[in-house]
Amino acid sequence: MEPVFATGMAAKLRSVWDRNEGLGQNNNAVKFLGQDYEMLRSQCIQRNTLFEDTYFPAVASSLGFNELGPSSSKTYGVRWMRPTEICSNPQFIIDGATRTDVCQGALGDCWLLAAIASLTLNDNLLHRVVPHGQNFSSGYAGIFHFQFWQFGEWEDVVIDDRLPVKDGKLLFVHSKDGKEFWSALVEKAYAKLNGSYESLSGGSTVEGFEDFTGGVTEMYELKKAPSDLFSIIKRAVERGSLLGCSIDITSSTDMEAVTFKKLVKGHAYSVTGVEEVNYRGTPTKLVRIRNPWGEVEWTGAWSDNSREWDGIDSTARGKLQNRSEDGEFWMSYRDFIQEFSRLEICNLTADALDASQVKKWSSSLYGGEWRRGSTAGGCRNFPATFWINPQFKINLKHPDTSGQDKCSFLVALMQKDRRKKHKEGKDMETIGFAIYEVPREYVGQTSVHLKRDFFLTHGSSARSELFINLREVSSRFSMPSGEYIIVPSTFEPQKEADFVLRVFSEKPAESQEMDDEVSANLPNENVLDESQIDAGFKNLFRQLAGADMEISATELQTIMNRIIAKHKDLKTDGFGPEACRSMINLMDTDGSGKLGLTEFHVLWEKIKRYLEVFRKFDLDKSGTMSSYEMRMALEASGFKLTNHLFQLIILRYTEDDMSVDFDNFVTCLVRLETMFKTFKTLDTDADGFISVNFVQWLSLTMFA
């Protein structure tokens, strides 16, 4: 197994390096499943064939696994057809993308359709998802591609254009006139990204907002609207954010029911502007709303033909009033708060905004993971393990306005790839985060991972409103300038998931992952001359070593297992040959592959010290160490490691129940010490870098 794991580690490192070079940005998207659109299209044109995608084939499993599974009534009689087979003159986009291009089919993904429709309002955003130059005429080869933001990077997804058809009509998304296919193809690409069409069933528009823009979303219940929400909306509009609002339904009969003032329940509206006017001497806040249907408009105060417009300055009236039945209308902010239930704001990253957009968010993004035994600590309710969660620092330097010491920022925690796991019966984990002020002694430092005692004695400064099983949890905060630690976690410990943490701030703010700096502060070893070694120890050595007066790996294994058998309080399955070879490799100064008297004496003292540390940090006296006890024991032994390195150690040295027994503890410490000493020996100029050729690399990795 080890060579496979090593290859996996190398691939992971390679991936990090590629992303540091800019791979994953919208203009340099990652090729999903390694498929290269231009290369595949060229091959099809050369061979005069239409593309068939073997990674997302035209078969039942691509439709779904349960309600859309192979034996379901919904998929009975489904055929896969290309647009050129469905109608005589298919078009990709006709006269630009519009709201009527997005009509729902037999799949419960209205959340996705609302997000796709929102793209039609912003041509710049649309073509980040739908690359230019695709059509059914020149160079048509049955292949299309689309780009989606996924957990921190853009992915380019290639599909063929075979679409599921039932009774002569597209089964899922379709355009109103049936001849325009860009929206159906976007849906297919998104289904491929998530594993199947059925994986798209059920969701929130904000998920689509984010996957089509790379933005970060915040939600407001308007019945509990913060006092400064109007200014939040105003600043969001200035930044080009996408804003959606809706009215909750209380029963299924409410869905798309029209109120007596012509608002539609359970329907996705867009907020397109805000304004403050002087109405008969009184400042009045207005909000502009758009109904994607393009009709059915609000008939209350400030609607297109209401008398309120007569009470404001004619210049403002001429600028704002709109009398056409185009689905866009004004209403007072007070009515907006009262009539609508929920507001969603998708804040865009700087790269998604026009160059002319002056007011942009400052943003940062970090990928992380919760892993059993190493970084899955659970929430504050579990103080023994909470501290092992990943930790991130944000440095708020610039208050929003002069004269005040409050800095606005938004924290969003998103769990990755959970939609793909639907077919395995897995749902979202329950996630959230807490924020702590950095203690004075650690201000300005980055190589610090706060430990258990800090969290036992310090309360949080802020936290996510809820721990909840959504894809993303986000909250807006306004806090005094200073340094803060964000600790993301699942609610319960030992729950595994990958996550992305994003921090958006109104003014520039520095942020970084907090982690211990890798170091080894090892105690000085007292290497005695043979004449200084105790006579009793010499006699013991002669008995153990035999006639050649040296201890081989096999002899060391016998010795170690005899010793460990006498310590009934320690759990172990015994020292194996590999562990003993590692110990000899660490202590063998003359390259003989065996240990002489002085070398064995140093090892003996080392193992006694390891035993002392093991017993000290085996807090529950179980005879083994839990993973978090192991982390404290490593630090007490002089080793400071990053979360990632500790995770690798846990993967390699724990038993099935995530415990570490004594022989694995010793082997781990010996290996660590060997690697540190080897590197230090080769790093002759002490600059933290070494250069080795391939043969030297093999020598190091095979025999270290």
Side-chain angles (χ1 to χ4, degrees):
M1 290 295 291
E2 227 174 72
V4 175
F5 174 72
T7 306
M9 264 324 304
K12 194 167 185 177
L13 281 172
R14 178 74 259 172
S15 172
V16 170
W17 296 343
D18 288 343
R19 279 147 185 77
N20 289 342
E21 291 294 314
L23 182 65
Q25 295 177 11
N26 184 257
N27 61 359
N28 187 18
V30 175
K31 292 175 176 58
F32 182 62
L33 300 178
Q35 289 177 293
D36 186 311
Y37 168 74
E38 294 294 350
M39 186 181 75
L40 291 169
R41 181 168 166 271
S42 296
Q43 287 174 355
C44 290
I45 291 171
Q46 286 171 10
R47 297 168 186 165
N48 197 27
T49 58
L50 295 179
F51 178 62
E52 294 192 9
D53 185 11
T54 55
Y55 286 101
F56 197 60
V59 296
S61 60
S62 295
L63 294 175
F65 45 87
N66 186 12
E67 287 187 21
L68 294 176
S71 58
S72 76
S73 59
K74 286 185 180 180
T75 61
Y76 180 76
V78 166
R79 298 172 58 207
W80 294 80
M81 300 174 68
R82 298 186 189 270
T84 50
E85 300 167 322
I86 296 171
C87 64
S88 59
N89 185 27
Q91 299 292 312
F92 187 66
I93 293 180
I94 304 172
D95 298 329
T98 61
R99 58 184 170 74
T100 58
D101 301 345
V102 191
C103 302
Q104 191 170 352
L107 183 60
D109 62 347
C110 58
W111 62 275
L112 176 63
L113 309 199
I116 294 174
S118 74
L119 289 175
T120 67
L121 304 177
N122 186 321
D123 206 48
N124 178 39
L125 294 180
L126 173 72
H127 288 294
R128 285 160 66 84
V129 176
V130 185
H132 282 289
Q134 304 190 81
N135 56 60
F136 291 97
S137 51
S138 62
Y140 169 69
I143 183 171
F144 293 86
H145 70 130
F146 302 91
Q147 295 193 168
F148 305 103
W149 183 90
Q150 287 285 281
F151 317 115
E153 61 189 20
W154 286 86
E155 302 210 24
D156 190 82
V157 181
V158 170
I159 55 166
D160 64 33
D161 62 350
R162 295 177 295 177
L163 296 167
V165 172
K166 187 173 181 180
D167 302 326
K169 296 179 181 178
L170 285 177
L171 185 60
F172 303 128
V173 168
H174 54 279
S175 63
K176 194 170 185 180
D177 66 8
K179 291 187 175 182
E180 196 169 0
F181 289 91
W182 73 270
S183 58
L185 294 168
V186 166
E187 183 189 43
K188 179 174 182 178
Y190 198 62
K192 176 179 176 178
L193 186 67
N194 286 283
S196 69
Y197 277 94
E198 188 170 351
S199 294
L200 305 184
S201 185
S204 165
T205 301
V206 300
E207 189 174 336
F209 272 170
E210 294 187 340
D211 287 356
F212 296 155
T213 66
V216 65
T217 304
E218 49 187 322
M219 285 186 273
Y220 293 95
E221 299 292 335
L222 295 179
K223 299 290 180 283
K224 299 183 284 187
S227 58
D228 62 341
L229 181 61
F230 184 79
S231 67
I232 289 172
I233 296 172
K234 188 171 188 294
R235 293 201 298 274
V237 169
E238 289 171 346
R239 288 189 175 86
S241 304
L242 300 180
L243 292 89
C245 57
S246 59
I247 301 170
D248 283 348
I249 58 172
T250 51
S251 69
S252 58
T253 56
D254 260 1
M255 192 62 190
E256 298 195 340
V258 181
T259 70
F260 82 101
K261 288 187 179 178
K262 291 287 187 76
L263 293 177
V264 186
K265 293 185 176 182
H267 182 58
Y269 287 83
S270 304
V271 178
T272 60
V274 293
E275 200 68 51
E276 196 157 359
V277 298
N278 197 315
Y279 174 63
R280 294 179 178 171
T282 304
T284 302
K285 297 180 173 72
L286 302 180
V287 181
R288 189 173 65 204
I289 312 289
R290 183 181 185 276
N291 180 349
W293 286 350
E295 52 195 27
V296 188
E297 293 188 9
W298 162 252
T299 58
W302 298 100
S303 59
D304 286 4
N305 297 301
S306 71
R307 64 180 185 275
E308 281 80 12
W309 292 107
D310 298 331
I312 68 170
D313 175 80
S314 59
T315 306
R317 184 168 65 247
K319 176 185 165 190
L320 302 178
Q321 190 178 17
N322 176 14
R323 295 179 185 272
S324 63
E325 188 73 8
D326 59 357
E328 196 161 63
F329 55 87
W330 290 93
M331 64 195 304
S332 73
Y333 175 68
R334 183 182 298 172
D335 282 341
F336 170 69
I337 294 291
Q338 190 171 326
E339 297 288 339
F340 283 89
S341 310
R342 183 173 293 102
L343 173 71
E344 298 165 341
I345 302 176
C346 182
N347 303 284
L348 302 183
T349 51
D351 66 302
L353 297 171
D354 295 332
S356 60
Q357 201 90 32
V358 178
K359 299 186 175 182
K360 298 179 181 179
W361 285 91
S362 174
S363 63
S364 53
L365 177 149
Y366 299 95
E369 50 198 357
W370 296 297
R371 290 290 175 266
R372 282 183 68 217
S374 55
T375 54
C379 72
R380 264 301 290 267
N381 295 356
F382 303 91
T385 57
F386 177 71
W387 63 278
I388 70 175
N389 285 300
Q391 299 172 17
F392 302 84
K393 185 173 82 168
I394 179 171
N395 187 0
L396 303 173
K397 292 182 176 179
H398 307 289
D400 298 344
T401 55
S402 58
Q404 294 188 351
D405 189 30
K406 291 285 185 175
C407 305
S408 295
F409 65 104
L410 198 156
V411 177
L413 174 65
M414 178 186 290
Q415 51 188 315
K416 295 173 65 174
D417 297 322
R418 304 306 291 191
R419 192 172 284 280
K420 289 180 183 175
K421 298 181 186 292
H422 280 187
K423 74 167 85 172
E424 301 168 26
K426 293 182 180 178
D427 205 347
M428 301 286 183
E429 294 294 350
T430 301
I431 61 171
F433 57 86
I435 302 176
Y436 296 82
E437 191 171 355
V438 172
R440 188 175 301 161
E441 63 269 28
Y442 295 132
V443 168
Q445 297 184 40
T446 57
S447 55
V448 176
H449 186 273
L450 297 174
K451 302 301 187 288
R452 185 181 62 171
D453 289 350
F454 169 81
F455 295 107
L456 289 175
T457 55
H458 293 75
S460 61
S461 301
R463 57 186 179 274
S464 52
E465 192 174 337
L466 297 167
F467 269 77
I468 194 165
N469 59 339
L470 292 176
R471 182 175 87 150
E472 184 171 62
V473 174
S474 67
S475 297
R476 178 185 286 257
F477 303 99
S478 182
M479 295 170 69
S481 55
E483 294 186 6
Y484 297 90
I485 296 289
I486 303 168
V487 185
S489 72
T490 54
F491 183 75
E492 294 180 340
Q494 313 300 9
K495 298 289 185 181
E496 294 202 321
D498 295 330
F499 68 84
V500 167
L501 181 77
R502 293 185 287 169
V503 180
F504 276 49
S505 51
E506 296 218 2
K507 295 287 181 72
E510 297 173 1
S511 60
Q512 59 213 132
E513 183 169 2
M514 295 287 279
D515 216 342
D516 288 328
E517 189 173 293
V518 179
S519 64
N521 182 20
L522 303 174
N524 291 325
E525 290 172 340
N526 190 16
V527 182
L528 302 179
D529 187 83
E530 286 194 21
S531 60
Q532 298 173 297
I533 294 175
D534 176 78
F537 187 85
K538 286 181 182 176
N539 287 332
L540 174 64
F541 179 76
R542 289 190 191 100
Q543 294 169 24
L544 298 172
D548 66 353
M549 288 299 286
E550 287 196 311
I551 291 178
S552 66
T554 306
E555 289 168 328
L556 181 61
Q557 184 179 358
T558 304
I559 295 165
M560 293 301 300
N561 287 328
R562 280 183 187 169
I563 294 169
I564 205 71
K566 295 178 182 178
H567 294 274
K568 303 297 184 186
D569 60 325
L570 302 179
K571 287 188 180 174
T572 176
D573 50 10
F575 286 87
E578 188 63 34
C580 294
R581 276 195 288 270
S582 294
M583 284 187 254
I584 286 183
N585 188 49
L586 174 63
M587 307 310 307
D588 180 18
T589 55
D590 58 8
S592 65
K594 296 182 178 182
L595 300 183
L597 174 61
T598 56
E599 293 167 332
F600 182 67
H601 184 264
V602 174
L603 177 63
W604 186 266
E605 294 298 316
K606 194 185 295 290
I607 289 170
K608 286 199 296 185
R609 189 172 71 249
Y610 291 164
L611 180 59
E612 187 180 321
V613 171
F614 188 89
R615 283 187 165 140
K616 179 180 178 181
F617 288 96
D618 175 16
L619 301 176
D620 58 1
K621 305 305 175 193
S622 63
T624 63
M625 275 193 189
S626 66
S627 55
Y628 52 93
E629 290 171 341
M630 175 71 167
R631 185 152 188 168
M632 292 187 289
L634 286 175
E635 192 159 329
S637 301
F639 297 102
K640 283 199 172 185
L641 303 173
T642 62
N643 279 340
H644 178 65
L645 288 174
F646 183 66
Q647 187 176 310
L648 295 181
I649 281 174
I650 292 302
L651 287 171
R652 180 158 183 167
Y653 292 104
T654 54
E655 303 296 324
D656 290 341
D657 63 357
M658 304 305 290
S659 65
V660 182
D661 61 15
F662 184 65
D663 60 281
N664 276 331
F665 177 69
V666 171
T667 306
C668 174
L669 289 176
V670 166
R671 296 275 296 179
L672 275 174
E673 188 171 335
T674 302
M675 297 310 293
F676 271 102
K677 286 184 172 178
T678 301
F679 188 92
K680 194 171 182 181
T681 301
L682 296 174
D683 184 16
T684 52
D685 55 2
D687 66 349
F689 294 90
I690 61 172
S691 178
V692 293
N693 62 34
F694 185 59
V695 173
Q696 291 168 328
W697 166 255
L698 281 178
S699 301
L700 285 174
T701 54
M702 293 296 289
F703 301 107

